[in-house]
């Protein structure tokens, strides 16, 4: 098996990866699109096509859902929980064995630095490991109805679960949805983003190699309009997990409503990082940098709002700018500190926000312009950007930019910081940096967010439930709560 360096060198020299899947993965095998159409996948670091894949539509979705339904009803829901767990454990092992190649695919497809892609692949393996261990612990309750009755509950798999996967974290988002769905006994139809199809396809192949029966996990590729929308509206789907924009999530909800299909939505964010004057300054600086510049800021839970106490503001922002200006940019396979954004459309969106800010006279403390890979002169890059203190109603405070752009707000004290943090249409995550642990936990209770990080942004892992409030969505992924998302609870009461 090739080493990580060999995979990287080959991809850099050839501009592609040999042996990438070109069809859908349906009923345990690859197949061409029903229409015979294909589309291109683009390397963001070069702004060039590097591969083709199947352009699916409603006919392919129909085939995948039918395959999943057969597999669910005839095989998977009655597979013993311990055996489901063994298959998921084997999948985790195979992901780790294939980690070098998967990371290069993820890097070339999404643009993110190879070091970040490696972490995502290991996180995907951990998700299957975690839920593999949970399969035979999914148990119901008994109810004290008195000596003449027996009352108990069952957690049953909901059925066919659709996964609509975003482009910013393709393999890790796929794993955090597919693994608990399979653990609960559901069958899956996944639709990865058209920008990043390949690791989801490889993941389905790996699951089959691990012993997953044919049809239990299917992947249909294509655009959101041609493949994602038919999947969301399909009458054969019992549950939808969607990660993406508010606008697309709203469309998914409307489509699901016609069939009364259950949904879990993880949507946008404009997450605050509260930095109080008594914090560990070095830890806070590192946390804020990672919160906004990891994956070029293209993270739903990115810490895109810095709320800093006035006593610390000047020196803290000055140091952030100094560090941002030293970040290295380049193609993801060369493992820079900041990679490209995913597409020309996303680059134009980021530029639009910063351009409008300049027209309003907003101070851009550092960055603020499109750029390219300094080694090749290619790619979709945006400079790491920090924008000076803004009012709570400013567009840069209220709207999700989804890029390496940090907006600063100034707080007078902890109570003011809390008010600023909660003044948002989004409520996905929040971060707090303070040496006062009691204050941190009081703030955690009052922050309107699905998850709160204290003194380390992005703390936690697959064990911690994740999801949003307000326009950031509803329902929870990860943790045991994520497993219950794929279950329906049945109560049984019997007279003895």
């Amino acid at each position: 098996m090739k080493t990580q360096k060999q995979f990287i060198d080959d991809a850099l020299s050839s501009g592609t990866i040999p042996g990438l899947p070109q069809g859908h993965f349906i009923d345990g095998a690859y197949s061409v699109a029903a229409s015979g159409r294909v589309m291109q996948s683009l390397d963001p670091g070069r702004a060039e096509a590097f591969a083709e894949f199947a352009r699916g539509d409603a006919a392919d979705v129909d085939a995948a859902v039918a395959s999943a339904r057969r597999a669910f009803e005839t095989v998977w829901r009655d597979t013993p929980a311990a055996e489901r767990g063994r298959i998921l454990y084997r999948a985790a092992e195979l992901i780790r064995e294939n980690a070098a190649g998967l990371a290069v695919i993820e890097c070339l497809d999404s643009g993110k630095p190879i070091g970040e892609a490696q972490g995502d692949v290991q996180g995907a393996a951990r998700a299957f490991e975690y839920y593999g261990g949970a399969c035979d612990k999914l148990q119901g309750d008994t109810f004290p109805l008195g000596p003449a009755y027996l009352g108990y509950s069952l957690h049953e798999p909901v059925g066919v679960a659709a996964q609509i996967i975003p482009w910013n974290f393709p393999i890790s988002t796929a794993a955090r949805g597919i693994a608990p769905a399979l653990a609960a006994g559901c069958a899956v139809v996944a639709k990865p983003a058209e920008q990043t199809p390949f690791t989801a396809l490889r993941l389905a192949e790996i699951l089959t190699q691990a012993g997953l029966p044919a049809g239990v996990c299917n992947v249909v590729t294509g655009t959101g309009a041609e493949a994602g929308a038919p999947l969301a509206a399909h009458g054969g789907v019992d549950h939808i997990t969607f990660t993406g924009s508010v606008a697309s999530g709203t469309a998914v909800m409307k489509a699901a409503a016609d069939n009364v299909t259950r949904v879990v939505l993880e949507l946008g964010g404009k997450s605050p990082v509260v930095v109080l004057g008594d914090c560990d300054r070095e830890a806070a600086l590192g946390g804020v940098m990672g919160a906004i510049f990891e994956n070029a800021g293209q993270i739903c839970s990115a810490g895109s709002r810095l709320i800093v106490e006035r006593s610390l503001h000047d020196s803290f922002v000055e140091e952030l700018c100094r560090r941002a200006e030293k970040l290295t940019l380049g193609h993801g396979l060369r493992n820079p500190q900041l990679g490209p954004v995913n597409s020309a459309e996303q680059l134009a969106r980021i530029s639009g926000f910063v351009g409008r800010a300049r027209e309003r006279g907003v101070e851009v403390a550092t960055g603020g312009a499109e750029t390219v890979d300094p080694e090749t002169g290619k790619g979709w890059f945006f400079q790491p950007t920090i924008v000076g203190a803004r009012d709570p109603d400013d567009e840069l405070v209220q709207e999700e930019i989804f890029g390496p752009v940090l907006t600063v707000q100034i707080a007078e004290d902890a109570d003011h910081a809390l008010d600023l943090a909660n003044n948002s249409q989004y409520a996905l995550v929040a971060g707090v940096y303070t040496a006062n642990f009691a204050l941190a936990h009081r703030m955690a209770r009052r922050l309107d967010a699905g998850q709160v990080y204290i003194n380390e942004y992005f703390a936690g892992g697959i064990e911690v439930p994740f999801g949003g409030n307000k326009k950031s969505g509803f329902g929870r992924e990860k943790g045991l709560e994520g497993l219950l998302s794929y279950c329906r609870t049945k109560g049984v009461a019997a007279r003895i």
Side-chain angles (χ1 to χ4, degrees), residues 254-296:
K254 290 178 179 178
D258 288 338
N259 297 308
V260 197
T261 304
R262 300 157 43 131
V263 293
V264 168
L265 301 178
E266 196 257 278
L267 307 178
K270 193 69 182 178
S271 299
V273 187
V274 175
V275 176
L276 299 179
D278 66 346
C279 71
D280 179 328
R281 186 172 182 270
E282 191 62 29
L285 283 165
V288 171
M289 289 289 291
I292 188 58
F293 296 130
E294 182 179 324
N295 200 25

Short mmCIF file of all heavy atoms in Angstrom, two decimals, residues 254-296:
data_model
loop_
_atom_site.label_atom_id
_atom_site.label_comp_id
_atom_site.label_asym_id
_atom_site.label_seq_id
_atom_site.Cartn_x
_atom_site.Cartn_y
_atom_site.Cartn_z
N LYS A 254 -39.79 21.70 3.66
CA LYS A 254 -41.03 21.79 2.89
C LYS A 254 -41.28 20.52 2.10
O LYS A 254 -42.42 20.02 2.02
CB LYS A 254 -40.98 23.00 1.96
CG LYS A 254 -41.04 24.34 2.69
CD LYS A 254 -40.93 25.51 1.72
CE LYS A 254 -41.03 26.84 2.46
NZ LYS A 254 -40.87 28.01 1.56
N ALA A 255 -40.23 19.97 1.50
CA ALA A 255 -40.39 18.73 0.75
C ALA A 255 -40.75 17.57 1.67
O ALA A 255 -41.61 16.74 1.34
CB ALA A 255 -39.09 18.43 -0.01
N ALA A 256 -40.13 17.52 2.83
CA ALA A 256 -40.41 16.44 3.78
C ALA A 256 -41.83 16.52 4.33
O ALA A 256 -42.45 15.50 4.65
CB ALA A 256 -39.41 16.48 4.92
N ALA A 257 -42.35 17.73 4.43
CA ALA A 257 -43.68 17.91 5.01
C ALA A 257 -44.76 17.18 4.21
O ALA A 257 -45.73 16.68 4.78
CB ALA A 257 -44.01 19.40 5.10
N ASP A 258 -44.59 17.12 2.89
CA ASP A 258 -45.61 16.46 2.07
C ASP A 258 -45.76 14.98 2.41
O ASP A 258 -46.84 14.41 2.24
CB ASP A 258 -45.27 16.62 0.58
CG ASP A 258 -45.48 18.04 0.08
OD1 ASP A 258 -46.25 18.78 0.71
OD2 ASP A 258 -44.87 18.40 -0.93
N ASN A 259 -44.68 14.36 2.87
CA ASN A 259 -44.72 12.95 3.25
C ASN A 259 -44.66 12.75 4.77
O ASN A 259 -44.57 11.62 5.24
CB ASN A 259 -43.54 12.20 2.61
CG ASN A 259 -43.61 12.20 1.10
OD1 ASN A 259 -44.62 11.84 0.52
ND2 ASN A 259 -42.52 12.61 0.45
N VAL A 260 -44.72 13.84 5.52
CA VAL A 260 -44.58 13.81 6.99
C VAL A 260 -43.32 13.01 7.36
O VAL A 260 -43.36 12.11 8.21
CB VAL A 260 -45.84 13.26 7.68
CG1 VAL A 260 -45.83 13.63 9.16
CG2 VAL A 260 -47.11 13.79 7.03
N THR A 261 -42.21 13.34 6.72
CA THR A 261 -40.94 12.66 6.95
C THR A 261 -40.18 13.38 8.06
O THR A 261 -40.12 14.61 8.09
CB THR A 261 -40.09 12.66 5.66
OG1 THR A 261 -40.84 12.06 4.62
CG2 THR A 261 -38.79 11.90 5.87
N ARG A 262 -39.60 12.62 8.95
CA ARG A 262 -38.81 13.20 10.04
C ARG A 262 -37.55 13.84 9.48
O ARG A 262 -36.96 13.36 8.51
CB ARG A 262 -38.38 12.09 11.02
CG ARG A 262 -39.52 11.37 11.67
CD ARG A 262 -39.12 9.98 12.16
NE ARG A 262 -37.84 9.96 12.83
CZ ARG A 262 -37.63 9.37 14.01
NH1 ARG A 262 -38.63 8.80 14.65
NH2 ARG A 262 -36.43 9.34 14.55
N VAL A 263 -37.12 14.94 10.12
CA VAL A 263 -35.91 15.62 9.66
C VAL A 263 -35.04 16.03 10.85
O VAL A 263 -35.55 16.34 11.93
CB VAL A 263 -36.22 16.88 8.82
CG1 VAL A 263 -36.86 16.50 7.50
CG2 VAL A 263 -37.09 17.86 9.57
N VAL A 264 -33.74 15.99 10.64
CA VAL A 264 -32.75 16.62 11.51
C VAL A 264 -32.00 17.60 10.64
O VAL A 264 -31.46 17.24 9.59
CB VAL A 264 -31.79 15.59 12.12
CG1 VAL A 264 -30.60 16.29 12.79
CG2 VAL A 264 -32.50 14.70 13.12
N LEU A 265 -31.96 18.86 11.06
CA LEU A 265 -31.34 19.92 10.26
C LEU A 265 -30.19 20.55 11.04
O LEU A 265 -30.38 21.00 12.17
CB LEU A 265 -32.35 21.01 9.91
CG LEU A 265 -33.59 20.59 9.12
CD1 LEU A 265 -34.50 21.80 8.90
CD2 LEU A 265 -33.20 19.98 7.77
N GLU A 266 -29.01 20.56 10.43
CA GLU A 266 -27.88 21.31 10.97
C GLU A 266 -27.53 22.36 9.93
O GLU A 266 -27.00 22.05 8.87
CB GLU A 266 -26.69 20.38 11.24
CG GLU A 266 -25.66 21.02 12.16
CD GLU A 266 -24.44 21.50 11.41
OE1 GLU A 266 -23.56 20.70 11.12
OE2 GLU A 266 -24.41 22.73 11.13
N LEU A 267 -27.87 23.61 10.24
CA LEU A 267 -27.83 24.68 9.25
C LEU A 267 -26.70 25.66 9.56
O LEU A 267 -25.65 25.28 10.00
CB LEU A 267 -29.20 25.36 9.16
CG LEU A 267 -30.37 24.39 8.94
CD1 LEU A 267 -31.69 25.14 8.92
CD2 LEU A 267 -30.19 23.58 7.68
N GLY A 268 -26.94 26.93 9.31
CA GLY A 268 -25.87 27.92 9.41
C GLY A 268 -25.49 28.28 10.83
O GLY A 268 -26.08 27.83 11.80
N GLY A 269 -24.48 29.11 10.91
CA GLY A 269 -24.03 29.59 12.22
C GLY A 269 -23.33 30.93 12.08
O GLY A 269 -22.83 31.29 11.02
N LYS A 270 -23.35 31.68 13.14
CA LYS A 270 -22.56 32.92 13.27
C LYS A 270 -22.05 32.94 14.70
O LYS A 270 -22.41 33.79 15.52
CB LYS A 270 -23.42 34.15 12.96
CG LYS A 270 -22.61 35.42 12.76
CD LYS A 270 -21.78 35.38 11.49
CE LYS A 270 -20.94 36.62 11.33
NZ LYS A 270 -20.11 36.57 10.12
N SER A 271 -21.22 31.96 15.01
CA SER A 271 -20.94 31.62 16.39
C SER A 271 -19.99 32.60 17.06
O SER A 271 -18.97 33.00 16.49
CB SER A 271 -20.37 30.21 16.47
OG SER A 271 -21.31 29.28 15.96
N PRO A 272 -20.30 32.99 18.30
CA PRO A 272 -19.46 33.93 19.04
C PRO A 272 -18.36 33.22 19.83
O PRO A 272 -18.56 32.12 20.36
CB PRO A 272 -20.46 34.58 20.00
CG PRO A 272 -21.44 33.48 20.29
CD PRO A 272 -21.55 32.68 19.01
N VAL A 273 -17.20 33.87 19.89
CA VAL A 273 -16.14 33.45 20.82
C VAL A 273 -15.96 34.59 21.81
O VAL A 273 -15.48 35.67 21.44
CB VAL A 273 -14.82 33.16 20.09
CG1 VAL A 273 -13.81 32.57 21.08
CG2 VAL A 273 -15.03 32.22 18.92
N VAL A 274 -16.38 34.36 23.04
CA VAL A 274 -16.30 35.39 24.08
C VAL A 274 -14.95 35.28 24.78
O VAL A 274 -14.60 34.23 25.33
CB VAL A 274 -17.45 35.21 25.10
CG1 VAL A 274 -17.30 36.21 26.25
CG2 VAL A 274 -18.80 35.38 24.41
N VAL A 275 -14.19 36.37 24.75
CA VAL A 275 -12.87 36.41 25.38
C VAL A 275 -12.89 37.49 26.45
O VAL A 275 -12.99 38.68 26.15
CB VAL A 275 -11.77 36.70 24.34
CG1 VAL A 275 -10.42 36.84 25.02
CG2 VAL A 275 -11.73 35.60 23.28
N LEU A 276 -12.84 37.07 27.71
CA LEU A 276 -12.90 38.00 28.83
C LEU A 276 -11.50 38.36 29.31
O LEU A 276 -10.52 37.64 29.06
CB LEU A 276 -13.72 37.39 29.96
CG LEU A 276 -15.18 37.07 29.59
CD1 LEU A 276 -15.92 36.45 30.78
CD2 LEU A 276 -15.91 38.31 29.08
N GLY A 277 -11.42 39.47 30.02
CA GLY A 277 -10.14 40.05 30.38
C GLY A 277 -9.25 39.18 31.24
O GLY A 277 -8.03 39.35 31.25
N ASP A 278 -9.84 38.22 31.97
CA ASP A 278 -9.04 37.38 32.87
C ASP A 278 -8.62 36.06 32.23
O ASP A 278 -8.12 35.17 32.91
CB ASP A 278 -9.84 37.10 34.15
CG ASP A 278 -11.07 36.23 33.89
OD1 ASP A 278 -11.46 36.08 32.70
OD2 ASP A 278 -11.66 35.70 34.85
N CYS A 279 -8.79 35.92 30.93
CA CYS A 279 -8.54 34.64 30.27
C CYS A 279 -7.05 34.33 30.20
O CYS A 279 -6.20 35.20 30.40
CB CYS A 279 -9.12 34.65 28.86
SG CYS A 279 -8.21 35.71 27.72
N ASP A 280 -6.75 33.08 29.86
CA ASP A 280 -5.40 32.69 29.47
C ASP A 280 -5.21 33.24 28.05
O ASP A 280 -5.74 32.69 27.08
CB ASP A 280 -5.27 31.17 29.49
CG ASP A 280 -3.89 30.68 29.07
OD1 ASP A 280 -3.25 31.34 28.23
OD2 ASP A 280 -3.47 29.61 29.56
N ARG A 281 -4.48 34.33 27.93
CA ARG A 281 -4.41 35.07 26.66
C ARG A 281 -3.88 34.20 25.53
O ARG A 281 -4.40 34.24 24.41
CB ARG A 281 -3.54 36.31 26.85
CG ARG A 281 -3.51 37.25 25.63
CD ARG A 281 -2.77 38.53 26.02
NE ARG A 281 -2.74 39.50 24.93
CZ ARG A 281 -1.78 39.55 24.00
NH1 ARG A 281 -0.79 38.67 24.06
NH2 ARG A 281 -1.82 40.45 23.04
N GLU A 282 -2.85 33.42 25.79
CA GLU A 282 -2.25 32.60 24.73
C GLU A 282 -3.23 31.53 24.25
O GLU A 282 -3.35 31.28 23.05
CB GLU A 282 -0.95 31.96 25.24
CG GLU A 282 -0.13 31.30 24.16
CD GLU A 282 0.35 32.27 23.09
OE1 GLU A 282 0.54 33.47 23.39
OE2 GLU A 282 0.54 31.82 21.93
N ALA A 283 -3.93 30.90 25.19
CA ALA A 283 -4.92 29.89 24.81
C ALA A 283 -6.04 30.52 24.00
O ALA A 283 -6.53 29.94 23.02
CB ALA A 283 -5.48 29.21 26.06
N ALA A 284 -6.47 31.72 24.40
CA ALA A 284 -7.55 32.39 23.69
C ALA A 284 -7.11 32.79 22.28
O ALA A 284 -7.87 32.64 21.31
CB ALA A 284 -8.00 33.61 24.47
N LEU A 285 -5.89 33.28 22.14
CA LEU A 285 -5.40 33.65 20.81
C LEU A 285 -5.36 32.44 19.88
O LEU A 285 -5.83 32.49 18.75
CB LEU A 285 -3.99 34.27 20.93
CG LEU A 285 -3.92 35.70 21.43
CD1 LEU A 285 -2.50 36.05 21.85
CD2 LEU A 285 -4.41 36.68 20.36
N GLY A 286 -4.82 31.34 20.38
CA GLY A 286 -4.78 30.13 19.57
C GLY A 286 -6.17 29.61 19.24
O GLY A 286 -6.43 29.17 18.11
N GLY A 287 -7.06 29.69 20.21
CA GLY A 287 -8.43 29.22 19.98
C GLY A 287 -9.17 30.05 18.96
O GLY A 287 -9.87 29.50 18.09
N VAL A 288 -9.03 31.36 19.03
CA VAL A 288 -9.71 32.24 18.07
C VAL A 288 -9.16 32.02 16.67
O VAL A 288 -9.92 31.97 15.69
CB VAL A 288 -9.57 33.71 18.50
CG1 VAL A 288 -10.09 34.64 17.40
CG2 VAL A 288 -10.35 33.95 19.79
N MET A 289 -7.85 31.88 16.54
CA MET A 289 -7.25 31.64 15.23
C MET A 289 -7.79 30.35 14.61
O MET A 289 -8.18 30.32 13.44
CB MET A 289 -5.72 31.56 15.36
CG MET A 289 -5.04 32.88 15.67
SD MET A 289 -5.03 34.04 14.28
CE MET A 289 -3.91 33.21 13.16
N GLY A 290 -7.81 29.28 15.38
CA GLY A 290 -8.32 28.02 14.86
C GLY A 290 -9.80 28.06 14.56
O GLY A 290 -10.27 27.47 13.59
N ALA A 291 -10.53 28.79 15.39
CA ALA A 291 -11.98 28.85 15.24
C ALA A 291 -12.41 29.46 13.92
O ALA A 291 -13.44 29.09 13.35
CB ALA A 291 -12.59 29.64 16.40
N ILE A 292 -11.64 30.42 13.40
CA ILE A 292 -12.05 31.10 12.17
C ILE A 292 -11.23 30.70 10.95
O ILE A 292 -11.72 30.75 9.82
CB ILE A 292 -12.01 32.64 12.35
CG1 ILE A 292 -12.62 33.34 11.13
CG2 ILE A 292 -10.59 33.13 12.60
CD1 ILE A 292 -14.06 32.94 10.82
N PHE A 293 -9.98 30.26 11.12
CA PHE A 293 -9.15 30.00 9.95
C PHE A 293 -9.00 28.52 9.61
O PHE A 293 -8.49 28.19 8.53
CB PHE A 293 -7.78 30.65 10.12
CG PHE A 293 -7.86 32.16 10.21
CD1 PHE A 293 -7.23 32.86 11.23
CD2 PHE A 293 -8.61 32.88 9.28
CE1 PHE A 293 -7.32 34.25 11.31
CE2 PHE A 293 -8.71 34.27 9.36
CZ PHE A 293 -8.07 34.95 10.37
N GLU A 294 -9.41 27.61 10.49
CA GLU A 294 -9.44 26.20 10.10
C GLU A 294 -10.41 26.02 8.94
O GLU A 294 -11.48 26.62 8.91
CB GLU A 294 -9.86 25.32 11.29
CG GLU A 294 -9.86 23.84 10.96
CD GLU A 294 -10.24 22.97 12.15
OE1 GLU A 294 -9.86 23.31 13.28
OE2 GLU A 294 -10.92 21.95 11.93
N ASN A 295 -10.01 25.20 7.96
CA ASN A 295 -10.81 24.95 6.76
C ASN A 295 -11.23 26.26 6.08
O ASN A 295 -12.31 26.38 5.51
CB ASN A 295 -12.05 24.10 7.07
CG ASN A 295 -12.63 23.44 5.84
OD1 ASN A 295 -11.94 23.19 4.86
ND2 ASN A 295 -13.92 23.14 5.88
N ALA A 296 -10.33 27.25 6.15
CA ALA A 296 -10.57 28.57 5.54
C ALA A 296 -11.90 29.18 5.99
O ALA A 296 -12.56 29.88 5.24
CB ALA A 296 -10.51 28.49 4.01
#
